[in-house]
Amino acid sequence: VCVCLCLCVCVMCLHFPLQFCQDFNVVFCFQSSMESPNLEFEYGDTDSLTAELSEIYSYTEEPEFALNRDYFEEDFRSHVRGRRWIELGQEQQRAYVMRLLDALEVTDRDKRLKVARAILYLAQGVFDECDTDTDVIHWSRHNVFLLYDMGVFTALLELLSMEMDNNQACSSAVRKPAISLADSTELRVLLSIMYLMVETIRLQTEDDRPEWRTAREAFKTELGSPLYNGEPFSLLLFTMVTKFCSMNAPHFPMKKVLLLLWKTILFTMGGFEELQEMKVRGRERLSLPPLPEDSIKVIRSMRAASPPASAMELIEQQQQAKRGRRSRRPLVKQDSLDTYNERDPFKNDDARDEEEDGEEADSGIEGEVDPLDRDVIIQPPPPPPPLRPPTERASLPKGLPWAPKVREKDIEHFLETSRNKFIGFTLGNDTETLVGLPRPIHESVKTLKQGEEDVDETPTEILYLGMLPNLSQYVIALLKLLLAAAPTSKAKTDSINILADVLPEEMPITVLQSMKLGIDVNRHKEIIVKAISALLLLLLKHLKLNHIYQFEIVSQHLVFANCIPLILKFFNQNIMSYISAKNSICVLDFPHCVVHEMPELTAESLEAGDSNQFCWRNLFSCINLLRILNKLTKWKHSRTMMLVVFKSAPILKRALKVKQAMMQLYVLKLLKIQTKYLGRQWRKSNMKTMSAIYQKVRHRLNDDWAYGNDIDARPWDFQAEECALRESIEKFNSRRYDKNQNGEFAPVDNCLQSVLGQRVELPEDFHYSYEMWLEREVFSQPIQWEGLLQQAQ
């Protein structure tokens, strides 16, 4: 009955005017549309500058702003009398920063910390001398470039290395029953300065001075090169992450480390726009045709669809319809599906719970009232927000939004099928004969025949080479932190404590203090999820562009570390509540809290938060995690089956309730790849989702995603697929990175005389101690000849 009604609605929409179809849709889907407004969310590399700067600080660190100011002013007044920092000339400011640098080299730990706090106050924009938030950002930018020019970052790096190797602090933290903010004071100050420097210099503005642009490129090259003990700066931060997760340094402020690591990789490798430019340049270098579209621009031009109604919503609609029969108001028309004037697949069908799984759908349709008899009180919706300027939308023709794609297996399968059908014989794996094939296949074949280029020393290549020996540890550590920060995770005694840099020394004693700390803890976890999700996505995208096997090895480590069930566990919650969470206190955010007088905090002001429909960082994190899940499972049948085994379909369908086009697209992609494994009954019960997949997701040649006929979907090949991939990855790493030239392909010298005649480079100290070594290890040790003979037998 459900399928027939769905088909009837589709036929009516084809043969009747659009006005009737929209009125008909209103009757079915008004409830979810009213409850889930369209979210005007602009996806990008980061949030606004003020939001990104404020997230480096916890609310419990608020008293330290005044502490930084006091230490700076105490030292500044002793050297510069009667003048303020913003009144000094450039040379006077440089002279004072040089004095601070000299003071950083003292052996007294407390004096060093005071100087570091004074430098942090400069990086924070000397806020006591500013009147507005804009002034703070202006002077912060000015001071940060000055600090970098004077070599402060290098000095901070040496101090950071000292603090990392501070065994006394590590052992003290391990023995303490409860770690608090005081255990990480030095590290937090150093990491805060470095984060402010990286994030400020990374952003380019129109009013940048020429010397600032030069400094930005120099800093970018410096961070991405192996200049710090023979490794890039990112690798040092990865080491801090693994050291923390191994419980050897539980006092490390992980939120600050992860934020700095993410921004460093974003700065050195580039964000989404830089990735697109790198793709374009790479295709030009290989004489390939240009990309058909920019994915981000296409997605930005799409509109969100109304989500399907759940069983509980249908029951509420029935009860509300009975209560509201006596009061009639005209129904409100819904918006169109997207900019292509296509019908909304979530709106055109009956509002019965067809979107639930088969067993749920069978029990939920009986006894339902006639949809056309419903009369419901509907309040007029608020005026829609202004649309983005037309220049931001991609110029696309009407119809499906994506250009189709093709891959090598599609070419081979298509050629074999066509030859067998029209000629009567096949040519095996021949892909040279292309007569009669469409142009996209010609282009794909040309792409596949390109040779492997020389290895360039790009920041991505340098970072991968440094990460390779401990890659598994880095991946596991990041996923442990993601699990600890996920809202669905329950506290366990053996779980990682990620709250070391948010808990105060003295726990709250009033209800108001407890509420503030609770908001701070939730905000702290959200920021960690944001940093890790963005970091993993950037790594995967850059490694895939650099070399596919680099991407595959990181992906396989993620899969083996249970990344897929972890992300599904993250989404197995009330995702609308997570996205609309208000875990922020606006009056405590930097730089507002240091410029304006702090009002008296009350329960009402704590709960007020901002007026946005959603939390930017949480929606950003959700989209990042969905994109990571897509990258892990794309063209991998074994991993797609993991989605099926872990029953991801109902979890992902609940995520469709978020009316944001980009998030819905990546959810639909994940549902598309597993549709053929879910069975006919599921497809029959989820026709709205099937229609949405058809309208919004890219199509591929010979792609029978809606049926179970894929020849590659044989269950006995799943384990072999991962094993074969791992073997290819190991050969790639051995061939490209093995210190012995050519690895397993190098010839072996079996001649004893030749081997003994080779000159071997020995360390300098060997020449001074080899005689003692010979005497101790060789001449003074009796030789057990009988033992040698027995071992030989």
Side-chain angles (χ1 to χ4, degrees), residues 44-62:
D45 292 318
T46 61
D47 201 351
S48 63
L49 176 61
T50 54
E52 295 294 336
L53 294 182
S54 68
E55 289 181 349
I56 192 66
Y57 310 107
S58 300
Y59 293 146
T60 47
E61 293 181 275
E62 178 201 348

Side-chain angles (χ1 to χ4, degrees), residues 102 295 333 383 567 577 660 743:
D102 291 339
S295 300
K333 296 178 182 178
I567 295 178
S577 297
Q660 204 282 325

